[in-house]
Each structure stands twice: as C-alpha cells, then as structure tokens.
Amino acid sequence: MKDYITLFILRHHRISRKVCKLGLNETKEIIFERVRPFAEGRNIESDIFDSAATVEKLCLMSGGDIHNLLQLAQESVNNSDDLPISAQAVQRAITKARDTYRRTVQNHEWEILAEVFLSKQVFDEEPYRSLLLRRCLLEYFDSESEIKQWYDVYPLIQKIPEFKEHLAKLEQFEQVKEFEAQILAYELMYGDYERQEDDRDDDCDDDCDENW
C-alpha cells in the first residue's frame, strides 16, 4: 500500500494548465466546512477572507492536498489579528511554507522535479517515492481524461529559484533536442530528394545512350 494520496485536481494536465473549476470548488468546500461552525451566517469570501481571489490562491497553492491546504489556512489565521484574513496574511503563509520546502529538497532532486514537471510521469524508484512521500511531488487521477494518472510538482516549489533554474536548463535542452531532430529530419528528407534526383539523372543517361 502506498503512503501518499491522490488529490483534488486543481489544474488540467494539458500544456495550458487551466484551472479545473470542479477541483477548485471541492477544495474551497473543505475550507468552508472548517470555518462554518465558527462563522455562521458570514460570507467566507468577504467576511472570513478579504476576497474570492485570496481563497482561490490559498487553494491553488495547496496543490489539492488537504493536509497542505489546512496548514496554509492555519498559518494564514496565525498571521491575522482580525477578520477578514488578508491576501498579505495568506502570502506570508505561502512564503513560509515555500522556504520550508526549499530546505527539504536536496541538490540532486531539483533536476528530478524539473523532469517530472515536464513529463508528468514518475518511475518506481527511490528518489521519486521519496519526493512523493514528502509531498514535493503530487499524484493526480482524472477519470475523465485520456491520461488517467499523472504527477506534478507541488505549486509552492514551482516558484523556488533553484527549481526555476533547473527547469529553464531542461527546457533549453529539450528545445535543442527538438531542433536537432528537425535538422535530422530535414537532412533525411533532403538526402532522399537528392537520391531521387540522381536516380532520375541516371535513368536519363541510360535513355540517351540507348537512343544514340
């Protein structure tokens, strides 16, 4: 049995990474249920938090992980002297959690995280299992998508400079590989064209010899 959990999908797997409204609403509901007993009759998106955007940011930064979500929410409360909880209080909670994750990731793991961010896949090997257990990598399952199971980097980590540096290097490397593949395909195509031209020239020479 694995020790990590499948999460609410907050962003779609595809390159656009558009927000998944269903997953976002489910995550918001977790917060609503937690505060409802203490805030009966109050609007969570204006009375408890200062705006809907603040609640949405809190949810998105959790990656759909309930444990992370509640930790960020509690830290946001700790940063607030009064209601509503401000965007600044939520940002301080995010910054603190991000710094904790930055210290958690080892130097050799940044490249692994960048690779998973691009491929959305993991291997059944210790480095990947360790990152999953530490919630640096998150697992998602989408019954409505062609790609049923996929992985992503915890959103808080995606803004850490070390991660962004390794991701930029990997993306540049992938672009070079793609360019080299295009050149190779062109050379193969051009080589076939030249061979066809040579064959036609040889046929023409044979015909001319016969006519002569």
Side-chain angles (χ1 to χ4, degrees):
M1 179 181 295
K2 65 185 182 183
D3 297 318
Y4 46 90
I5 59 173
T6 304
L7 313 170
F8 294 120
I9 297 174
L10 299 185
R11 291 193 183 275
H12 292 289
H13 172 274
R14 298 301 181 188
I15 299 301
S16 66
R17 295 182 59 77
K18 291 181 179 179
V19 172
C20 175
K21 292 297 184 181
L22 177 60
L24 180 60
N25 290 336
E26 289 174 333
T27 310
K28 284 182 179 180
E29 188 61 31
I30 297 295
I31 298 179
F32 296 167
E33 289 297 327
R34 286 293 176 131
V35 303
R36 187 170 286 128
F38 314 102
E40 192 66 36
R42 306 185 74 171
N43 188 311
I44 192 167
E45 294 184 342
S46 59
D47 299 327
I48 306 302
F49 291 88
D50 62 3
S51 70
T54 299
V55 180
E56 182 169 319
K57 183 174 185 178
L58 183 68
C59 292
L60 291 176
M61 287 299 101
S62 75
D65 183 310
I66 296 176
H67 174 80
N68 290 335
L69 175 68
L70 296 180
Q71 277 196 333
L72 288 173
Q74 183 59 57
E75 187 62 29
S76 299
V77 171
N78 295 343
N79 293 333
S80 305
D81 295 326
D82 201 358
L83 297 178
I85 298 169
S86 67
Q88 290 77 14
V90 170
Q91 183 57 53
R92 287 198 295 273
I94 290 170
T95 300
K96 181 179 179 180
R98 180 176 289 137
D99 189 56
T100 299
Y101 271 90
R102 185 184 62 79
R103 295 194 302 270
T104 297
V105 177
Q106 300 178 40
N107 288 335
H108 70 278
E109 293 177 323
W110 293 113
E111 185 175 354
I112 297 174
L113 290 169
E115 290 174 354
V116 175
F117 182 82
L118 293 179
S119 70
K120 307 303 181 197
Q121 298 177 345
V122 302
F123 297 100
D124 188 17
E125 298 173 1
E126 177 54 33
Y128 299 92
R129 290 194 293 268
S130 176
L131 288 167
L132 281 163
L133 289 171
R134 284 180 280 148
R135 292 186 169 90
C136 297
L137 290 176
L138 304 178
E139 179 189 23
Y140 297 95
F141 185 84
D142 187 355
S143 60
E144 298 180 359
S145 171
E146 294 179 9
I147 303 175
K148 302 299 184 185
Q149 186 182 41
W150 52 282
Y151 301 83
D152 210 347
V153 176
Y154 184 26
L156 288 179
I157 292 177
Q158 295 175 22
K159 298 294 185 181
I160 295 176
E162 289 89 338
F163 172 79
K164 293 168 68 175
E165 178 184 348
H166 280 78
L167 179 62
K169 289 179 180 178
L170 188 58
E171 286 178 328
Q172 185 177 24
F173 177 70
E174 292 295 327
Q175 289 173 357
V176 170
K177 279 176 44 179
E178 183 179 352
F179 177 73
E180 290 176 343
Q182 291 174 348
I183 293 296
L184 178 60
Y186 174 78
E187 289 175 344
L188 292 172
M189 181 179 68
Y190 185 71
D192 288 341
Y193 174 78
E194 284 190 321
R195 283 192 293 273
Q196 291 173 7
E197 287 296 307
D198 290 341
D199 290 342
R200 279 195 289 268
D201 289 341
D202 291 341
D203 291 340
C204 181
D205 291 340
D206 292 340
D207 291 340
C208 290
D209 291 341
E210 289 176 6
N211 292 332
W212 179 259

